[in-house]
Amino acid sequence: MTLAELVCPAGTPAALKNAVDAGADAVYCGFRNATNARNFPGLNFSPDEMEASVAYAHSKNAKVLMTLNTYPPAGEEALWREAADMGVRFGVNAFIVADMGVARYIAETYPDARLHLSVQAAASSPEAIRYYCENFGVKRVVLPRILTIPEIRAIRAEIPCEIETFIFGNHGLMVEGRCSLTNYATGLSTNLDGVCSPPAQVDYRRQAGNCVSSCLAGHVIDRFRDGEMAGYPTICKGRYTAPHRPEGYYAFEEPVSLNLAHMLPQLIEAGVHAFKIEGRQRSKSYVRAVVSAFRQAIDDIAAGGAADLDHLVSLTEGRKQTQGAFATKKWR
Amino acid sequence: MEQDWTATGARRGRIFGDLPAVVLRPLVDPLLHRTVTRLAQKHRSIFARLGPHIHTDFIIDPLDLPFALHLKPDPDRPLLKAVSRGALPRHDALIRGRFRTLFDLIDAGEDGDAAFFSRDLLIEGDTDAVVTLRNALDDVDGSIAADTAALFGPPGRLALSVLRRGAAAPVKGYPS
């Protein structure tokens, strides 16, 4: 069995070190601006931090994949180009891109640079993936979390590049790269500004009976009763009333995390080259715990054993986990 | 069992028993001042991450201590002092939880999002400030709790050891 690469998140240099030391084969991270899809306050890397972090990862034989996975608004492409220029200068191992203009700039300016297609590009068919491979030289696609394992196996047979799949973490999929819900409520776009539910527009309101309401841009999007687990304050995971559901329900997504620990052997067998852990917005303790656990799991599988990572549920959103569409198209 | 965020909950399981805050604060404030001053000198990179929130007033409220903490992470005049829970100063953001949860966060043993999901943390006020502070502190290599303990030599390290052992054990009257 060929081992899959373990690709791990880092929102800070400290998290990157924890990921590398815990056994990450590659770490993905981005600059402290709109060029990446986790543009949260206090998070991400300055140029100096990126340069030093790349050096640290390389000293431990780990790769660094730079996230340039947002879509530049018209006239603002320079920020993305400058980020790519710095990434090349620092020696990152690959760029994770979604926008065709960004992909083209890197492919033409740095023909030796390796491109990975972000999940934000939402390329889920062989035709779409092949388009990026043929036109921009993409070497790996990060698949949207909407495919079953048999579908992944079928796609693998029809594309000329590697496949990376998410195996753990936040599971707000919708149509990735085309989410307009935050933009509708806040005026800031997940896809253009890199920030879903900007914290400056989030507030939590304590109410009687140990209840808490989470609000975005003044809209109450969920209310957690006494003892009820909470989730991220995103519109796609809000609870809403409707004529047929007056009690309120999760109309789009539920606060739940992906955990494919039990499916790793099938994913490897289906031709997946890399396993991705979500969570650049999470702490270094989360990174250390999750990366260590999956490093052990992958090594156990390689040795003919099984992986059991149910204990990671304590780190999951809403303290619930799912295998999502990887197990069945009927998961919702 | 859900966290009890009320005054009753604050009284329950107090780490310093029933010692009044007015007795403890003169003892604690010099230690807090020394801690925040030294940490500010050692970890200057925190302030770049904090950005505009170096001027933000935070209240950190460990429910089972007899006082809350007022933090202003100004690089030139860092402030950390004990304040009365009954008369909190003007603040922009509040973070409330059990002492052990908050200790685990600065000891790099707990994930802030996970503590929030499980309702072990309550956040009020400026969420942007809280997220920024969390991310800035999380970029410190190692443990802020360990750095703090080291400031006080062997007694500090002994206290850290005791706290870490305590953090691993369930507390009577609180959810495990």
Side-chain angles (χ1 to χ4, degrees):
Chain A
M1 182 180 287
T2 304
L3 274 183
E5 186 176 290
L6 187 59
V7 181
C8 305
T12 62
L16 180 140
K17 286 181 184 170
N18 274 264
V20 168
D21 295 346
D25 296 307
V27 181
Y28 63 103
C29 51
F31 285 124
R32 205 178 296 165
N33 56 37
T35 58
N36 80 90
R38 284 286 184 271
N39 183 21
F40 290 111
L43 206 64
N44 295 316
F45 293 63
S46 69
D48 287 345
E49 290 170 344
M50 183 67 79
E51 185 171 23
S53 296
V54 171
Y56 181 83
H58 288 176
S59 74
K60 305 276 185 175
N61 296 317
K63 298 171 187 166
V64 174
L65 316 180
M66 180 182 281
T67 49
L68 289 178
N69 58 345
T70 43
Y71 293 84
E76 297 179 23
E77 304 87 351
L79 187 64
W80 279 255
R81 290 177 182 164
E82 288 165 7
D85 296 343
M86 282 191 279
V88 169
R89 205 159 63 241
F90 300 156
V92 302
N93 299 88
F95 294 96
I96 306 174
V97 300
D99 179 77
M100 291 186 197
V102 174
R104 181 176 177 182
Y105 173 76
I106 297 173
E108 291 184 350
T109 313
Y110 306 107
D112 293 334
R114 182 179 166 93
L115 290 181
H116 292 184
L117 188 62
S118 169
V119 70
Q120 293 291 308
S124 57
S125 69
E127 293 79 8
I129 296 165
R130 279 200 301 268
Y131 180 85
Y132 287 95
C133 295
E134 291 164 4
N135 288 280
F136 309 109
V138 162
K139 297 290 191 295
R140 178 184 293 178
V141 59
V142 186
L143 289 180
R145 288 159 274 194
I146 57 171
L147 300 164
T148 63
I149 290 180
E151 287 173 329
I152 293 171
R153 185 184 296 112
I155 287 174
R156 176 71 192 92
E158 294 187 51
I159 61 172
C161 70
E162 300 173 357
I163 286 179
E164 181 173 306
T165 57
F166 282 93
I167 56 169
F168 190 84
N170 184 16
H171 195 234
L173 41 96
M174 305 298 288
V175 178
E176 287 161 303
R178 296 168 205 170
C179 178
S180 298
L181 290 174
T182 285
N183 186 246
Y184 178 74
T186 70
L188 286 173
S189 162
T190 306
N191 315 123
L192 302 181
D193 302 295
V195 58
C196 172
S197 291
Q201 298 193 43
V202 172
D203 69 290
Y204 299 101
R205 298 173 189 168
R206 188 157 48 109
Q207 297 176 322
N210 280 336
C211 293
V212 172
S213 291
S214 61
C215 308
L216 180 65
H219 307 289
V220 176
I221 57 175
D222 208 345
R223 182 174 291 125
F224 303 105
R225 296 185 301 274
D226 187 12
E228 191 174 23
M229 296 295 108
Y232 282 119
T234 59
I235 291 186
C236 62
K237 295 188 177 182
R239 223 169 339 190
Y240 306 96
T241 57
H244 67 294
R245 298 288 294 271
E247 77 281 11
Y249 76 118
Y250 290 107
F252 303 110
E253 309 268 3
E254 293 187 22
V256 60
S257 288
L258 186 72
N259 185 356
L260 301 186
H262 296 296
M263 295 181 133
L264 300 183
Q266 297 104 292
L267 288 165
I268 294 172
E269 184 274 329
V272 172
H273 296 79
F275 292 144
K276 185 166 211 156
I277 295 168
E278 185 275 345
R280 283 191 290 138
Q281 76 282 13
R282 303 293 291 266
S283 68
K284 60 179 184 271
S285 76
Y286 168 94
V287 169
R288 186 172 61 240
V290 177
V291 175
S292 299
F294 275 99
R295 177 77 277 157
Q296 185 67 49
I298 291 172
D299 292 348
D300 287 347
I301 290 167
D308 183 4
L309 299 175
D310 285 344
H311 64 282
L312 291 177
V313 72
S314 65
L315 293 167
T316 58
E317 186 178 10
R319 291 212 165 186
K320 288 187 287 188
Q321 53 191 354
T322 179
Q323 294 179 328
F326 291 85
T328 171
K329 286 288 193 188
K330 297 179 180 175
W331 75 278
R332 275 289 285 153
Chain B
M1 178 180 162
E2 175 61 13
Q3 179 68 277
D4 185 350
W5 303 107
T6 64
T8 304
R11 284 195 297 275
R12 206 164 32 141
R14 275 184 174 176
I15 287 173
F16 288 99
D18 287 326
L19 274 177
V22 70
V23 172
L24 287 169
R25 278 160 47 198
L27 302 173
V28 170
D29 275 346
L31 302 178
L32 294 174
H33 177 71
R34 182 178 171 193
T35 299
V36 74
T37 304
R38 294 289 292 276
L39 290 177
Q41 290 167 348
K42 183 175 180 184
H43 299 295
R44 301 299 291 179
S45 64
I46 287 176
F47 301 110
R49 287 192 178 275
L50 282 170
H53 294 301
I54 58 174
H55 301 303
T56 295
D57 288 279
F58 296 88
I59 294 294
I60 300 167
D61 186 5
L63 272 171
D64 39 358
L65 290 188
F67 50 80
L69 299 168
H70 179 194
L71 169 69
K72 188 166 190 172
D74 184 329
D76 300 321
R77 295 176 58 193
L79 170 75
L80 182 64
K81 67 176 185 176
V83 293
S84 168
R85 185 173 287 111
L88 294 176
R90 187 201 69 77
H91 57 277
D92 306 294
L94 180 146
I95 305 165
R96 179 172 285 153
R98 293 176 301 179
F99 173 76
R100 284 181 180 174
T101 301
L102 298 167
F103 170 79
D104 279 349
L105 287 171
I106 63 163
D107 199 28
E110 170 93 74
D111 176 69
D113 285 9
F116 174 77
F117 296 150
S118 60
R119 307 280 301 275
D120 289 332
L121 276 184
L122 180 75
I123 295 166
E124 289 182 341
D126 186 341
T127 307
D128 190 83
V130 174
V131 171
T132 305
L133 179 66
R134 188 278 305 265
N135 289 335
L137 295 179
D138 199 60
D139 188 40
V140 170
D141 272 329
S143 155
I144 291 177
D147 285 351
T148 304
L151 292 176
F152 300 98
R157 284 189 280 274
L158 177 63
L160 178 67
S161 173
V162 170
L163 285 170
R164 282 177 170 166
R165 282 202 300 272
V171 182
K172 187 178 178 183
Y174 278 90
S176 59

